[in-house]
């Protein structure tokens, strides 16, 4: 989210007249770019140049002022056949996985990931930079480009951070649809997750009151022909148990017991219900208090939907068949004998896949300047792995082809989102990026240099709106750490300095110089919030050069064949920690997952986004701290182990004054107002 209106504070080249778009536009504003930059006009039918005003209007006003093109026009520019997408109204379409099948022999385009420095609570404009870069590449540099973004959660949209469609003149539209229901993927995840939660409690309820024979008879009832049979999902459990028999009548009493009785240990259950709203009062609760639940009360709670393992599965799957396998393998807890219990053991893996069958297809949208966007999945980066889907990236890389660009965003700072992009997402996708963008702002660097606290909803301190080069330089230690960490993966790093109206030329030049001294391939001053794609032309040129000059192979932070603790400690070291401290619960879980054969999975740290450390108050680049691991959980279907660092919560809460105070609807036009 971008909070401030921005434009470069130093002289611009003359304004360029363009077709009138918005009735709100009254003033032409010049758009900065390098004198040597050549800016051709994109020849695609969807290319659309914006006319901008100062000060920058609200995000929703800008979004509402531009009539989106019919989504079929965007698909046409990508040479996407109508056979390979389904329309969801005029401005959205689901791109079918068959599009990849048809193009799988085509060479991929360049792959770019956008991360950032450690942000303030206001955000540093990472989504805005991702969109602005793509508008520059597509609408000004005449490149085939697809933006790949996560679907926003309604938690921050109605909470404190606002939406995630970008901001200013670098947005995805329709912005209200992007930030709200979109095509219902998060609702499908919520329904699937809660179906599994209901199946767990129902199974424990029925096992508590029935004999082995009664359970078996109900699981395999006699049909109209007087015969019993196993369903497909039941054969999965039989294979897991090592039973090769195909008829229920053939099972021995011992096999009947093993098949029918899961004997779930209530204390081991890690699966929680979810909803896509920030509701702190659901973090801990009890279920089973109804008069007919026979006293089967247990403590559980709700997570936010985007923290569900099903969301992670959607983001990391590679096909419908792969998604079916992953959903079925999700572990919800253990039996009393210590064996992991999966969704397929409960018989629900197939049903979960049915609920998710449409959600697996990415959603095609567009930017303000008519460049294509694929929106898919939405895991939080501080809780989950924080990246959009593998299938969207793979489809996009084929659609843009050689010389084209796919730009995807990794959540929060590079210590969280980019690290997980490299070590989790790239491992499962087999893809490798040629360039990583690190978004920085003078505001955040001043905070890391010792500036006063930044609090959402409160005016910025004077230090952030007046020149203070020494404070910026002191905070660049945070930027240097991010550059160093990302370079270690073998990619070229381009720093995008996202400009605010209060930034001075001296401050911006200090950031650029420091970035280059720290080893960045390039560092570029950007004004895409105020000027759209033209404000990121230099960034686009730098990114193209970085992609063309990649020389190193992709390097992971750790191998998979070392222990869980060794992998955790490798990540902790990248943060600057001197060691790791494990709680008794974390030690117990690590030992159990190792015994169950899950130690070869990558690690997904659940950690605050506001510091390299576990303590959000530690700014800059802290070192020598001991990282506390409170608990360790496993997303076996998604394919990672996730340690909980410090006091991280998987269900956010609402602030005193949430964003929903601003959100309403114009009942005459039907347009949403106040969405940010």
């Amino acid at each position: 989210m971008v909070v401030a209106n921005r434009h470069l504070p130093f002289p611009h080249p003359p304004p360029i007249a363009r077709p009138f778009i918005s009735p709100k536009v009254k003033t032409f504003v010049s758009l900065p770019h390098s004198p040597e930059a050549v800016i051709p006009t994109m020849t695609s039918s969807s290319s659309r140049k914006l006319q901008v005003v100062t000060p920058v209007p609200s995000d929703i006003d800008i979004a509402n002022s531009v009539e989106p093109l019919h989504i079929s026009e965007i698909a046409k520019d990508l040479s996407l056949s109508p056979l390979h997408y389904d329309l969801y109204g005029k401005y959205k379409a689901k791109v079918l996985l068959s599009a990849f099948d048809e193009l799988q022999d085509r060479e991929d385009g360049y792959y770019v990931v956008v991360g950032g420095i450690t942000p303030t609570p206001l955000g540093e404009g990472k989504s805005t930079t991702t969109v602005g870069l793509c508008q520059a590449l597509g609408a000004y540099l005449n490149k085939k480009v697809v933006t790949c973004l996560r679907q926003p959660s309604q938690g921050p949209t109605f909470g404190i951070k606002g939406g995630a469609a970008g901001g200013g003149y670098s947005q995805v539209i329709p912005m209200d649809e992007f930030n709200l229901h979109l095509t219902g993927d998060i609702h499908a995840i919520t329904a699937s997750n809660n179906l599994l939660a209901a199946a767990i409690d129902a199974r424990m309820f029925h096992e508590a009151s029935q004999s082995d024979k009664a359970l078996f008879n109900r699981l395999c009832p006699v049909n109209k022909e007087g015969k019993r049979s196993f369903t497909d999902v039941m054969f999965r459990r039989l294979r897991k148990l090592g039973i090769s028999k195909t008829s229920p009548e053939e099972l021995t009493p011992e096999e009947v017991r093993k098949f029918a009785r899961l004997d779930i240990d209530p204390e081991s259950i890690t699966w929680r219900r979810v909803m896509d709203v920030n509701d702190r009062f659901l973090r801990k609760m009890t279920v089973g208090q109804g008069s007919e639940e026979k006293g089967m009360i247990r403590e559980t709670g709700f997570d936010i939907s985007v923290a569900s393992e099903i969301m992670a599965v959607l983001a990391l799957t590679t096909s419908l068949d792969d998604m079916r396998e992953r959903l079925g393998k999700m572990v919800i807890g253990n039996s009393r004998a210590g064996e992991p219990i999966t969704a397929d053991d409960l018989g629900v893996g197939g049903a979960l896949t049915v609920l998710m069958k449409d959600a697996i297809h990415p959603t095609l949208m567009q930017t303000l300047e008519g460049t294509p966007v694929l929106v898919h999945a939405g895991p939080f980066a501080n809780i989950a792995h924080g990246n959009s889907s593998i299938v969207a990236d793979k489809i996009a890389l084929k659609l843009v082809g050689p010389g084209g660009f796919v730009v995807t965003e990794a959540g929060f700072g590079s210590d969280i989102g980019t690290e997980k992009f490299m070590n989790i997402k790239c491992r499962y996708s087999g893809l490798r990026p040629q360039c990583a963008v690190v978004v920085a702002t003078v505001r955040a660097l001043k905070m890391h240099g010792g500036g006063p606290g930044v609090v959402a909803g409160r005016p910025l301190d004077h230090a952030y709106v007046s020149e203070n080069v020494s404070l910026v330089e002191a905070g660049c230690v945070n930027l240097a750490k991010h550059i160093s960490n990302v370079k270690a993966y073998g990619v070229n790093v381009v720093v995008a300095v996202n400009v605010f109206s209060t930034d001075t030329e001296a401050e911006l030049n200090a950031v650029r110089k420091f970035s280059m001294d720290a080893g960045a391939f390039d560092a570029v001053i950007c004004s895409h919030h105020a000027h759209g794609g033209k404000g990121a032309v230099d960034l686009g040129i730098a990114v193209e050069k970085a992609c063309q000059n990649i020389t190193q192979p992709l390097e992971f932070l750790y191998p998979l064949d070392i222990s869980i603790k060794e992998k955790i400690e490798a990540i902790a070291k990248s943060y600057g920690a001197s060691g790791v401290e494990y709680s008794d619960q974390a030690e117990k879980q690590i030992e159990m997952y190792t015994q169950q054969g899950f130690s070869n999975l990558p690690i997904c740290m659940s950690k605050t986004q506001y510091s390299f450390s576990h303590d959000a108050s530690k700014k800059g680049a802290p070192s020598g701290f001991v990282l506390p691991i409170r608990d360790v959980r496993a997303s076996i279907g998604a394919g990672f182990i996730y340690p909980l660092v410090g006091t991280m919560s998987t269900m956010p809460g609402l602030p005193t004054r949430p964003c929903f105070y601003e959100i309403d609807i114009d009942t005459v036009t039907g347009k949403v107002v106040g969405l940010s």
Side-chain angles (χ1 to χ4, degrees):
M1 171 183 156
V2 180
V3 176
N5 293 329
R6 288 176 283 208
H7 62 280
L8 283 177
F10 35 87
H12 303 178
I16 299 173
R18 296 197 183 95
F20 185 84
I21 292 178
S22 167
K24 300 179 185 297
V25 174
K26 298 178 181 177
T27 308
F28 286 103
V29 174
S30 54
L31 307 180
H33 58 87
S34 299
E36 70 274 15
V38 178
I39 307 179
T41 300
M42 188 175 179
T43 56
S44 72
S45 61
S46 66
S47 178
R48 171 174 51 211
K49 299 299 188 295
L50 296 172
Q51 200 164 33
V52 302
V53 298
T54 300
V56 180
S58 71
D59 292 349
I60 190 67
D61 284 346
I62 293 173
N64 284 341
S65 73
V66 176
E67 181 68 23
L69 295 165
H70 195 284
I71 200 63
S72 61
E73 292 295 317
I74 305 299
K76 182 179 178 182
D77 281 342
L78 284 173
S79 301
L80 191 61
S81 165
L83 295 174
H84 298 312
Y85 64 86
D86 289 334
L87 294 174
Y88 276 65
K90 294 186 291 184
Y91 308 129
K92 304 187 298 291
K94 280 283 194 180
V95 179
L96 307 180
L97 301 192
S98 57
F100 177 81
D101 296 335
E102 186 165 294
L103 297 169
Q104 59 183 313
D105 294 329
R106 189 179 191 184
E107 186 179 339
D108 288 348
Y110 293 122
Y111 195 30
V112 180
V113 59
V114 179
I117 63 171
T118 306
T120 69
L122 305 179
E124 308 317 307
K126 189 157 42 55
S127 300
T128 306
T129 301
T130 303
V131 175
L133 169 58
C134 290
Q135 290 182 164
L137 288 166
Y140 289 92
L141 297 174
N142 206 23
K143 305 294 182 183
K144 278 272 193 180
V145 64
V146 174
T147 313
C148 288
L149 295 175
R150 292 170 293 164
Q151 179 182 350
S153 164
Q154 290 180 173
T157 297
F158 291 107
I160 195 168
K161 194 173 185 295
Y169 289 100
S170 294
Q171 294 188 58
V172 179
I173 56 173
M175 182 261 240
D176 55 338
E177 295 182 29
F178 178 89
N179 281 312
L180 299 175
H181 306 286
L182 200 61
T183 49
D185 292 356
I186 293 181
H187 300 319
I189 289 163
T190 303
S192 302
N193 185 102
N194 294 342
L195 174 62
L196 180 50
I200 295 166
D201 287 314
R203 186 58 170 262
M204 290 193 298
F205 172 81
H206 291 301
E207 286 191 20
S209 59
Q210 297 181 44
S211 66
D212 297 343
K213 184 177 180 181
L215 271 172
F216 185 72
N217 288 342
R218 286 174 171 83
L219 288 169
C220 301
V222 176
N223 61 23
K224 293 179 181 179
E225 288 75 35
K227 296 180 179 180
R228 301 180 188 274
S229 62
F230 292 123
T231 64
D232 288 344
V233 73
M234 289 177 175
F235 281 114
R236 291 172 181 255
R237 175 156 176 78
L238 289 167
R239 286 194 294 270
K240 177 182 175 180
L241 295 172
I243 300 172
S244 59
K245 297 171 182 176
T246 58
S247 170
E249 310 295 347
E250 298 174 348
L251 269 59
T252 67
E254 178 58 27
E255 289 171 336
V256 164
R257 177 177 177 79
K258 287 171 63 179
F259 171 80
R261 193 165 296 280
L262 302 182
D263 198 25
I264 299 169
D265 179 2
E267 296 297 318
S268 74
I269 296 172
T270 55
W271 197 265
R272 292 153 60 93
R273 289 163 174 82
V274 300
M275 62 187 305
D276 197 38
V277 173
N278 291 356
D279 193 342
R280 57 168 45 87
F281 284 90
L282 293 180
R283 289 171 180 166
K284 185 175 287 189
M285 55 180 291
T286 57
V287 294
Q289 297 189 82
S291 58
E292 297 184 2
E293 274 63 73
K294 301 179 181 178
M296 295 189 64
I297 298 172
R298 70 179 181 91
E299 189 177 277
T300 181
F302 273 75
D303 294 333
I304 194 161
S305 294
V306 289
S308 169
E309 183 177 353
I310 296 178
M311 174 63 85
V313 166
L314 178 65
L316 292 172
T317 195
T318 55
S319 66
L320 184 61
D321 180 66
D322 179 62
M323 185 171 74
R324 170 65 185 88
E325 293 302 313
R326 288 175 180 269
L327 291 174
K329 289 178 180 177
M330 293 188 304
V331 173
I332 59 90
N334 302 319
S335 69
R336 286 186 170 86
E339 295 297 319
I341 302 297
T342 68
D344 273 346
D345 288 329
L346 286 156
V348 74
L352 301 181
T353 310
V354 169
L355 285 171
M356 293 292 295
K357 70 179 179 66
D358 295 323
I360 196 173
H361 305 295
T363 300
L364 181 65
M365 297 188 75
Q366 63 191 284
T367 68
L368 285 167
E369 297 191 74
T371 60
V373 181
L374 284 179
V375 186
H376 205 211
F380 278 3
N382 56 352
I383 297 172
H385 74 286
N387 284 267
S388 59
S389 77
I390 287 173
V391 295
D393 290 0
K394 285 196 164 189
I395 290 171
L397 285 164
K398 297 301 182 186
L399 288 172
V400 299
F405 291 83
V406 171
V407 183
T408 187
E409 176 197 5
F412 293 124
S414 69
D415 57 315
I416 300 182
T418 306
E419 182 269 308
K420 295 171 183 177
F421 171 86
M422 300 292 185
N423 291 305
I424 299 176
K425 185 176 180 180
C426 288
R427 267 198 166 99
Y428 285 119
S429 70
L431 301 172
R432 64 137 319 154
Q434 288 77 40
C435 174
V437 175
V438 175
V439 179
T441 62
V442 166
R443 176 180 68 191
L445 292 172
K446 285 181 175 180
M447 180 190 70
H448 289 295
V454 176
V455 181
R458 296 183 190 175
L460 288 170
D461 186 270
H462 179 71
Y464 296 105
V465 294
S466 59
E467 184 174 289
N468 191 328
V469 176
S470 61
L471 198 61
V472 174
E473 290 175 338
C476 279
V477 65
N478 182 270
L479 173 57
K481 178 69 170 169
H482 284 287
I483 293 171
S484 173
N485 280 5
V486 176
K487 279 189 67 179
Y489 295 111
V491 299
N492 287 327
V493 176
V494 174
V495 174
V497 188
N498 195 15
V499 177
F500 286 71
S501 60
T502 51
D503 300 342
T504 69
E505 189 167 4
E507 290 172 330
L508 294 167
N509 286 338
V511 179
R512 188 177 188 281
K513 180 180 184 303
F514 197 97
S515 300
M516 299 305 292
D517 291 345
F521 181 87
D522 204 348
V524 183
I525 311 301
C526 308
S527 64
H528 42 273
H529 179 273
H531 303 122
K534 193 166 187 180
V537 165
D538 288 348
L539 178 61
I541 293 170
V543 164
E544 182 175 20
K545 289 180 180 177
C547 289
Q548 292 171 341
N549 287 277
I550 190 69
T551 58
Q552 296 176 258
L554 180 62
E555 297 283 347
F556 296 122
L557 186 58
Y558 52 82
L560 292 180
D561 58 0
I562 61 176
S563 70
I564 292 174
K565 281 190 174 182
E566 287 173 313
K567 284 180 275 197
I568 291 173
E569 287 154 17
I571 298 172
K573 184 178 179 181
S574 77
Y575 298 156
S578 59
V580 178
E581 181 180 78
Y582 300 92
S583 71
D584 291 343
Q585 173 66 11
E587 292 276 11
K588 175 185 172 184
Q589 292 297 101
I590 289 171
E591 182 180 359
M592 180 186 69
Y593 293 138
T594 301
Q595 291 176 350
Q596 292 175 341
F598 302 139
S599 63
N600 63 336
L601 295 175
I603 301 297
C604 182
M605 299 287 257
S606 180
K607 179 186 80 73
T608 179
Q609 66 269 34
Y610 296 126
S611 173
F612 273 107
S613 75
H614 59 285
D615 183 350
S617 68
K618 292 183 177 180
K619 305 303 181 184
S623 62
F625 57 90
V626 175
L627 194 73
I629 305 298
R630 172 170 55 91
D631 197 359
V632 177
R633 299 176 186 170
S635 292
I636 303 305
F640 54 72
I641 303 290
Y642 65 105
L644 300 179
V645 180
T647 57
M648 276 303 300
S649 171
T650 51
M651 170 57 87
L654 287 171
T656 304
R657 192 183 188 282
C659 292
F660 60 62
Y661 272 87
E662 307 291 340
I663 299 170
D664 213 319
I665 193 163
D666 184 327
T667 57
V668 175
T669 65
K671 290 186 177 294
V672 173
V673 296
L675 196 61
S676 62

